[in-house]
């Protein structure tokens, strides 16, 4: 069985569940375990909100063919709503 190590600073625990989930999502994304879409859905964030979170934490957006395919699939299925920033 493979394992994943995620580091969560103690001070984040005092900041609440959202801060901890953001840290988990960012680390999974940064380590190429989750795609952009998977990480933002874990948080229930819009594309724009998750992009902002990455920027605020100086995490470079990784965009590859899998991300493009996922975006195309979401657009075609109606899951990606530009007007509502989903």
């Amino acid at each position: 069985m493979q394992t994943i190590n995620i580091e969560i600073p103690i001070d984040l625990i005092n900041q609440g569940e959202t801060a901890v989930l953001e840290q988990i999502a960012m680390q999974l994304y940064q380590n190429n375990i989750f795609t952009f879409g998977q990480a933002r859905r874990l948080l229930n964030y819009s594309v724009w909100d998750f992009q902002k979170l990455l920027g605020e934490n100086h995490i470079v957006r990784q965009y590859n063919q899998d991300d493009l395919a996922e975006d195309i699939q979401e657009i075609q299925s109606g899951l990606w709503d530009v007007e509502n920033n989903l």
Side-chain angles (χ1 to χ4, degrees):
M1 174 198 279
Q2 292 183 321
T3 62
I4 301 169
N5 293 320
I6 295 176
E7 294 184 21
I8 301 173
I10 296 295
D11 63 319
L12 280 184
I13 293 172
N14 297 329
Q15 292 178 26
E17 186 176 300
T18 300
V20 172
L21 280 174
E22 285 177 343
Q23 184 68 25
I24 291 169
M26 287 187 295
Q27 286 188 36
L28 290 172
Y29 175 72
Q30 192 170 29
N31 290 306
N32 293 313
I33 297 165
F34 271 18
T35 65
F36 182 88
Q38 290 170 321
R40 76 171 184 81
R41 283 191 299 274
L42 175 66
L43 297 169
N44 198 28
Y45 278 13
S46 71
V47 171
W48 317 119
D49 288 338
F50 190 59
Q51 182 69 35
K52 180 180 176 187
L53 179 67
L54 293 178
E56 290 171 348
N57 288 277
H58 309 287
I59 297 174
V60 176
R61 171 97 193 255
Q62 306 156 20
Y63 198 81
N64 59 30
Q65 287 181 322
D66 292 337
D67 293 319
L68 177 60
E70 185 176 332
D71 285 347
I72 290 170
Q73 184 177 23
E74 287 184 5
I75 290 167
Q76 290 174 338
S77 68
L79 293 176
W80 204 78
D81 185 347
V82 175
E83 290 182 21
N84 293 316
N85 297 325
L86 300 174

